[in-house]
Amino acid sequence: MSITKPGERKLQILQTLAGMLENPKGEKITTAALAAKIDVSEATLYRHFASKAQMFEGLIEFIETTVFGLINQISQQHKDGLQQAHGITLMLLSFAERNPGMTRVLIGDALVNEDARLQLRMNQFMDRIELAYKQALRQAVVQGQVPDNEIVMRANLLTNFVLGRWQRYAKTGFKASPTEFATAQITLLL
């Protein structure tokens, strides 16, 4: 019998859940299937998470912490507003490519038939992404790179571009790379 350290089982549950989400067929994930995959009882899952919704919240927290931490790094590394927007877009596409299961959470595909508050939280996540673009584009306005009246439109365009690339990646069974031609396309958009 192996003994796991506190927090290790919780992380193992989240990693396994993310791995199961990588199945392109996108079957509904049950706690029974998740427990079987880890070779534990469902009761063990519920010792770490009160519900399946809490498991998804754990994935969303990981996504938020990672993505917004990287956005902050990009904003600090690049004082040029357009470079910030370019860097944010490339990072978001690369994050999805490296984390296919989480891409299904990002687009809401994995949240269908789950607690409605999870989709609401992902909608708020996308609003924060759009806000990050607006901040980068405000910097570009100050630098004379973008007209002030285009901030909202450009931020929305970039957000929808990312969402579209994530959607295509997930809907093709993770075959259509979200980063293919991305650098050239982002340059065109900016």
Side-chain angles (χ1 to χ4, degrees):
M1 182 173 160
S2 67
I3 298 172
T4 57
K5 293 179 185 166
E8 280 184 9
R9 179 68 75 196
K10 193 172 187 173
L11 181 61
Q12 181 188 26
I13 293 166
L14 292 176
Q15 288 172 333
T16 303
L17 176 58
M20 290 174 77
L21 289 170
E22 290 179 20
N23 178 354
K25 292 184 177 132
E27 286 121 28
K28 185 167 169 50
I29 294 173
T30 63
T31 53
L34 179 59
K37 189 102 170 155
I38 303 170
D39 197 26
V40 298
S41 67
E42 282 186 81
T44 300
L45 295 179
Y46 289 115
R47 272 196 290 277
H48 297 281
F49 296 96
S51 65
K52 190 165 70 162
Q54 270 194 358
M55 293 176 208
F56 277 107
E57 284 177 334
L59 287 180
I60 293 169
E61 284 171 21
F62 171 80
I63 291 168
E64 289 172 338
T65 301
T66 303
V67 166
F68 292 111
L70 291 169
I71 287 174
N72 287 338
Q73 285 179 18
I74 291 166
S75 298
Q76 290 169 1
Q77 290 171 354
H78 303 287
K79 295 306 169 200
D80 180 284
L82 289 181
Q83 282 184 342
Q84 285 178 22
H86 193 281
I88 289 168
T89 307
L90 205 50
M91 177 274 297
L92 290 169
L93 298 176
S94 297
F95 179 85
E97 191 165 51
R98 285 191 305 271
N99 300 285
M102 291 188 199
T103 302
R104 292 191 53 223
V105 175
L106 288 166
I107 65 171
D109 190 37
L111 305 177
V112 173
N113 301 321
E114 299 299 336
D115 192 307
R117 78 175 186 273
L118 297 171
Q119 186 57 58
L120 179 64
R121 187 160 173 188
M122 288 315 302
N123 293 345
Q124 291 168 341
F125 172 84
M126 292 312 301
D127 289 344
R128 288 179 64 197
I129 293 292
E130 194 162 344
L131 182 62
Y133 279 127
K134 287 177 184 175
Q135 290 171 334
L137 293 167
R138 280 189 193 95
Q139 183 68 22
V141 167
V142 169
Q143 296 163 337
Q145 300 169 315
V146 174
D148 187 35
N149 64 344
E150 291 184 8
I151 291 173
V152 173
M153 182 264 312
R154 286 179 183 238
N156 184 264
L157 177 66
L158 290 166
T159 302
N160 287 320
F161 170 74
V162 168
L163 268 171
R165 296 303 295 241
W166 287 346
Q167 281 277 355
R168 185 162 187 263
Y169 183 49
K171 299 301 180 187
T172 61
F174 309 114
K175 289 178 179 51
S177 167
T179 58
E180 184 180 22
F181 309 120
T183 301
Q185 290 174 343
I186 297 164
T187 301
L188 279 173
L189 290 174
L190 291 171

